[in-house]
Amino acid sequence: MRKLHNLARKHSFYYISIDMNRVRLFLHSILFIVLSGIFYSCSVFEPIGDSLSLFYDNSVSYFNAYYNAQKIFDDAENTLMLAERDAKAKAILSQKPPAAVPIPRDKFNAVIDKCSSILSFYPKSALVDDAILLIGKSYFHLQDYLKAERKFSELLAQYPNSSLVLESRLWFAKTLERLRKVDEAKTIAQQVAQDGVEEGERTIASEAYSLLGLMAEQENDLNQSILHYAKALEYINDSYRRASTNAKVGDLFFSLKEYEKANTAFIEVYEEGVSDISLNYYGRIQAVRGYSALKRYDTALFLAEEILDDYRFAPYHPMARLEYAAVLLASGFTDDAVTEYQFMDTTYARTEHGARASFALAQYYEQQEGDYQRAASYYVRASAVQTFASFSEARKRENALLRLVSYQRDLLKNDSLVVLSDSAKKYPEQFLQLVPPDTASMAADSAEVLLDSLVVAPPAEPKYVATFTPLNPDSMRTVRARIAYDLGEIYYTEMEIPDSALVWFERAWEWKIDSTRAPRTLFILAELKKALKYASPEDIAQTYHTILDEYSWSSYANEVRRILGIEIAVRTTEEDDEAYAVAESLLWSGDYNSAIEHLKVIVGAIPPSPLAAKSQYTLGWIYEHQLHMPDSALMYYRAVAEQHKTSPYASAVKNKIAGAVDEQKQEKPAQPAKPEQPPVESKPGVNAPPPEFDDDIRTRRLPQGRGAKPDTVKTRIDR
């Protein structure tokens, strides 16, 4: 027989079963009290009556104390259970993990106080083991697992013959699991499950098997977890627990992509007939997803329509409608799906549901239609809701697609300008426009004719102006290669579409991307071809050796050395000083390309060289003043500003960068000009200073060296 006031739950109500032995004890006590009342007047029986009265008072006191503690505990546990169910319902509605529920700490602490009083004042009473168990369970609910563990251990050690041992072992296993003592918890839970089955304690057995299922799930042993939960279902009598456990089983099968078995479990959830609407809905909507995964779209649509037609699921209709649209899209009813999503996007604008619809539309236009402009507009709408689960992804895709569209327009514009420039060079007469005669001159000519009518003025020669000036083809092709590179970067790093990234990086290399971007272009091409199996190992090795041979100064060369197992040489400061001196000599001699190669070796040195900032600035100066490649110059100037913020070179390039940005906005025509001499007034040497800090990259004056004339040069930074 179970002990006095041991908790038993049935149909979400709590009942108290009373040990018949303890009932007999109280009946005997009452009999003695009655007899003592009969003989109360006799002096002989007065001491006996006083003792019986005291015994009665003590029994009633600890009995009432425990009864009140049990009642408070039942109330607190029921409150906690309802809060957890409510949190799960909200989680299903929001499709987010359940929020932490408030714990009725005052009530559980009151239980601990009352039961502690029983242990202090009535240490030999028959309810001591009951009090210890209540204290342990209260500590467990208060999440004070170390104290709970001590109480359960105390009960099991001091009262090994108690009828509460099996229940105590179950709670002990639960506590060990929370303390991450998984192996010990498994051993105890397995034994409790077996003993519970043998002793007919179905509730304890089912909870032990559920605990085993939870631990297996946490270890990602999903098949074993399913077996434990299935075993628990054999002994669960409560309909809510059966539905919840079937939902767990369905989710596990779904994770394993065993959709047929998952659907069977989900159907059991809502056929259980539980009054909990959220759980009922969850079983139905998961079955919709399961049948859709099996491509049984008719069944999935039928179940979704059932949900939408049932008024009980009104709070869940927006979610169900999104799922309905997803099934339509998967089944090929594209127009109907888009209509549903657009309805949701409009009706629930700036809400979580509207953001989900916008995100789905954006993915559809991006992935299936290739309409990046429209996809970007829907990503904008999705990212307007910051509480949206995929907010960061929507913002990332929005930025990537907007840049992608911008680059594609720039590429189209660049190609058009190249064609137009070629035509202007080949057929210049087609780009001439007649200048209308000046009206003032015509009036003067008329007056002159009146004064001397005998003089016949010769006809004025027509004047023509060019409507289009051919652009520098090399500059335009450089821009085209850079745009292709930028498109490859977006597809590779932001959109993660390797096929498209490969195409654009190949075009960037084919169109002769500048040497600063070439190493990365080659390295990414090798990695993409390796991942997509588009090239043989020999071709990939050839690409690696091209990086080593032509771009040995780059950091990618060191990465290639690591891949190929080649030792990475670390440069010394003396080597960098010597390389810079050689680069400076080459600069003075006019061999700018060789100077660039020596400077890039310093910039790519590992560990970073003290001369890196100076070398980057010099590289920018060469590209700007000598090679007239403002894009490359600006790239190095920006690298100085970002990587060497505390150096004087970083301060020197601020005006250059700001001026370039301003000019981009003004879109002035390019007027390239070559300075007559480098802006340094020193002879070549190891200790020669770097190029002097220039003025704005847009407008600069050459130094007044011997034979030099003042000149102002404006250079456009093409983007």
Side-chain angles (χ1 to χ4, degrees):
M1 296 295 293
R2 299 295 302 277
K3 280 199 167 183
L4 180 65
H5 293 288
N6 190 29
L7 184 62
R9 181 175 159 194
K10 183 178 181 182
H11 300 298
S12 68
F13 290 95
Y14 295 95
Y15 295 91
I16 298 176
S17 60
I18 301 177
D19 192 334
M20 293 306 297
N21 291 327
R22 296 187 178 183
V23 172
R24 296 190 188 96
L25 175 63
F26 277 92
L27 289 175
H28 294 161
S29 300
I30 293 172
L31 177 61
F32 278 112
I33 291 169
V34 172
L35 292 174
S36 65
I38 296 174
F39 300 103
Y40 188 77
S41 58
C42 301
S43 60
V44 176
F45 292 99
E46 285 182 3
I48 298 176
D50 292 340
S51 299
L52 290 174
S53 178
L54 180 61
F55 172 78
Y56 173 79
D57 291 339
N58 289 340
S59 300
V60 170
S61 296
Y62 78 74
F63 178 83
N64 286 339
Y66 178 78
Y67 176 81
N68 291 332
Q70 180 73 68
K71 186 176 180 182
I72 295 172
F73 178 84
D74 292 345
D75 183 54
E77 197 172 48
N78 189 50
T79 300
L80 186 61
M81 178 197 69
L82 293 176
E84 289 175 347
R85 290 189 181 183
D86 185 58
K88 289 179 181 178
K90 290 179 179 178
I92 293 172
L93 186 60
S94 64
Q95 292 187 330
K96 295 178 181 178
V101 299
I103 301 172
R105 295 184 174 277
D106 293 343
K107 293 182 179 181
F108 285 122
N109 284 322
V111 173
I112 293 172
D113 290 341
K114 289 183 178 294
C115 290
S116 297
S117 298
I118 294 174
L119 299 180
S120 299
F121 296 106
Y122 310 102
K124 295 184 179 181
S125 70
L127 297 177
V128 169
D129 51 348
D130 297 78
I132 294 174
L133 180 61
L134 271 189
I135 293 173
K137 292 197 290 189
S138 297
Y139 277 132
F140 180 89
H141 288 310
L142 289 170
Q143 299 178 358
D144 194 343
Y145 301 118
L146 288 174
K147 290 182 179 179
E149 180 188 21
R150 285 198 293 269
K151 283 300 174 184
F152 295 133
S153 299
E154 177 185 343
L155 192 153
L156 294 172
Q158 296 183 9
Y159 300 92
N161 298 321
S162 171
S163 60
L164 302 177
V165 165
L166 188 61
E167 185 180 0
S168 300
R169 286 164 59 201
L170 172 64
W171 283 89
F172 187 43
K174 290 181 180 180
T175 306
L176 292 173
E177 184 272 326
R178 297 296 176 91
L179 292 172
R180 299 294 185 268
K181 299 179 181 180
V182 180
D183 292 337
E184 190 177 353
K186 281 183 184 178
T187 302
I188 296 174
Q190 188 68 51
Q191 191 60 50
V192 169
Q194 295 175 4
D195 293 344
V197 173
E198 293 175 1
E199 297 178 19
E201 296 289 350
R202 298 175 62 88
T203 300
I204 291 178
S206 66
E207 290 188 14
Y209 279 121
S210 294
L211 179 60
L212 289 167
L214 173 64
M215 289 187 284
E217 183 181 356
Q218 291 172 346
E219 294 177 345
N220 207 33
D221 188 353
L222 303 188
N223 286 307
Q224 188 63 38
S225 178
I226 291 172
L227 292 176
H228 288 309
Y229 282 129
K231 198 70 176 174
L233 284 169
E234 296 180 14
Y235 303 102
I236 297 176
N237 295 322
D238 178 74
S239 60
Y240 180 85
R241 280 194 61 208
R242 287 190 61 83
S244 298
T245 305
N246 270 312
K248 289 181 180 179
V249 172
D251 288 339
L252 292 172
F253 276 127
F254 203 95
S255 299
L256 293 171
K257 297 184 179 180
E258 296 185 28
Y259 302 116
E260 201 69 65
K261 294 179 180 178
N263 290 341
T264 301
F266 290 136
I267 291 171
E268 289 289 336
V269 172
Y270 63 83
E271 285 190 347
E272 192 67 41
V274 292
S275 59
D276 189 284
I277 296 299
S278 62
L279 193 54
N280 196 320
Y281 163 79
Y282 185 76
R284 294 172 185 271
I285 201 66
Q286 286 296 93
V288 171
R289 293 168 181 149
Y291 282 115
S292 180
L294 289 170
K295 298 184 179 180
R296 294 168 60 180
Y297 300 118
D298 290 343
T299 305
L301 291 172
F302 173 78
L303 290 175
E305 289 169 354
E306 271 196 338
I307 296 173
L308 294 172
D309 292 339
D310 195 329
Y311 73 93
R312 296 177 303 165
F313 303 125
Y316 301 94
H317 280 174
M319 289 172 54
R321 195 153 192 163
L322 287 172
E323 204 64 43
Y324 181 66
V327 177
L328 286 172
L329 187 61
S331 59
F333 294 99
T334 305
D335 293 340
D336 293 337
V338 170
T339 300
E340 286 290 333
Y341 281 132
Q342 289 175 340
F343 172 81
M344 294 291 298
D345 173 66
T346 304
T347 308
Y348 299 94
R350 297 190 175 278
T351 68
E352 183 88 8
H353 304 304
R356 291 180 188 276
S358 301
F359 192 79
L361 284 168
Q363 288 185 315
Y364 166 73
Y365 283 114
E366 176 192 345
Q367 298 170 9
Q368 298 190 30
E369 294 294 325
D371 188 342
Y372 294 147
Q373 183 67 51
R374 184 171 292 186
S377 67
Y378 279 113
Y379 279 128
V380 170
R381 294 176 65 83
S383 63
V385 182
Q386 296 188 2
T387 57
F388 176 42
S390 299
F391 165 79
S392 299
E393 179 66 17
R395 178 61 57 84
K396 175 184 174 182
R397 308 296 281 193
E398 166 198 339
N399 293 333
L401 288 180
L402 288 175
R403 290 173 55 215
L404 191 68
V405 171
S406 175
Y407 283 138
Q408 288 178 335
R409 287 176 178 170
D410 290 345
L411 186 62
L412 182 61
K413 179 181 177 182
N414 182 82
D415 290 343
S416 300
L417 290 174
V418 169
V419 173
L420 199 60
S421 294
D422 291 342
S423 298
K425 288 181 179 179
K426 192 172 182 179
Y427 308 104
E429 66 279 1
Q430 295 183 5
F431 294 86
L432 296 177
Q433 182 178 7
L434 179 66
V435 178
D438 184 36
T439 54
S441 300
M442 292 176 62
D445 292 341
S446 299
E448 191 174 333
V449 169
L450 290 173
L451 292 174
D452 190 359
S453 59
L454 298 176
V455 178
V456 178
E461 294 183 1
K463 296 182 180 180
Y464 294 90
V465 295
T467 58
F468 177 78
T469 302
L471 303 175
N472 185 342
D474 292 335
S475 176
M476 298 303 294
R477 290 182 177 87
T478 299
V479 172
R480 181 174 65 170
R482 180 186 56 77
I483 294 173
Y485 174 88
D486 290 337
L487 286 168
E489 284 284 7
I490 292 176
Y491 280 116
Y492 181 67
T493 60
E494 298 181 45
M495 300 183 66
E496 299 178 358
I497 305 177
D499 290 341
S500 298
L502 180 64
V503 169
W504 286 107
F505 278 123
E506 283 183 332
R507 290 180 182 177
W509 177 251
E510 178 186 346
W511 294 340
K512 302 188 185 307
I513 189 67
D514 61 84
S515 59
T516 58
R517 295 179 174 90
R520 176 171 172 80
T521 302
L522 283 174
F523 185 82
I524 293 177
L525 280 173
E527 295 301 302
L528 286 172
K529 289 179 180 178
K530 188 193 309 181
L532 298 172
K533 299 180 180 180
Y534 282 178
S536 65
E538 292 76 14
D539 291 337
I540 294 171
Q542 182 60 44
T543 304
Y544 284 150
H545 284 291
T546 301
I547 296 174
L548 292 177
D549 295 340
E550 299 183 17
Y551 307 99
S552 59
W553 46 266
S554 71
S555 58
Y556 294 98
N558 284 330
E559 183 62 20
V560 168
R561 293 186 184 100
R562 186 190 65 79
I563 294 173
L564 299 179
I566 301 174
E567 182 179 357
I568 299 176
V570 180
R571 294 175 56 82
T572 63
T573 304
E574 291 76 12
E575 290 177 311
D576 291 338
D577 290 337
E578 182 179 353
Y580 189 85
V582 173
E584 195 171 41
S585 298
L586 293 168
L587 170 61
W588 280 103
S589 66
D591 190 354
Y592 304 121
N593 290 325
S594 298
I596 286 172
E597 294 303 319
H598 283 76
L599 291 170
K600 286 179 177 179
V601 170
I602 300 173
V603 172
I606 297 176
S609 169
L611 295 175
K614 184 178 180 180
S615 299
Q616 283 179 325
Y617 178 84
T618 306
L619 281 166
W621 183 89
I622 293 173
Y623 278 114
E624 178 190 358
H625 291 266
Q626 304 301 333
L627 300 180
H628 308 299
M629 297 174 64
D631 284 336
S632 297
L634 186 59
M635 185 191 73
Y636 278 108
Y637 288 149
R638 282 175 171 165
V640 172
E642 294 172 2
Q643 300 172 15
H644 308 281
K645 297 179 181 179
T646 59
S647 72
Y649 302 98
S651 302
V653 299
K654 286 183 179 178
N655 291 335
K656 295 176 179 289
I657 297 172
V661 172
D662 291 340
E663 185 165 304
Q664 290 171 17
K665 296 178 180 178
Q666 295 172 8
E667 290 293 334
K668 293 182 178 179
Q671 298 177 359
K674 183 177 180 180
E676 297 180 7
Q677 63 182 46
V680 288
E681 298 180 1
S682 59
K683 297 180 180 180
V686 175
N687 297 318
E692 298 294 336
F693 298 145
D694 299 301
D695 295 326
D696 189 349
I697 195 172
R698 297 176 304 156
T699 306
R700 58 182 182 276
R701 292 186 179 276
L702 296 179
Q704 302 302 311
R706 191 174 67 178
K709 297 181 180 180
D711 186 20
T712 300
V713 181
K714 293 184 178 180
T715 304
R716 177 169 177 262
I717 303 296
D718 295 320
R719 297 299 292 168

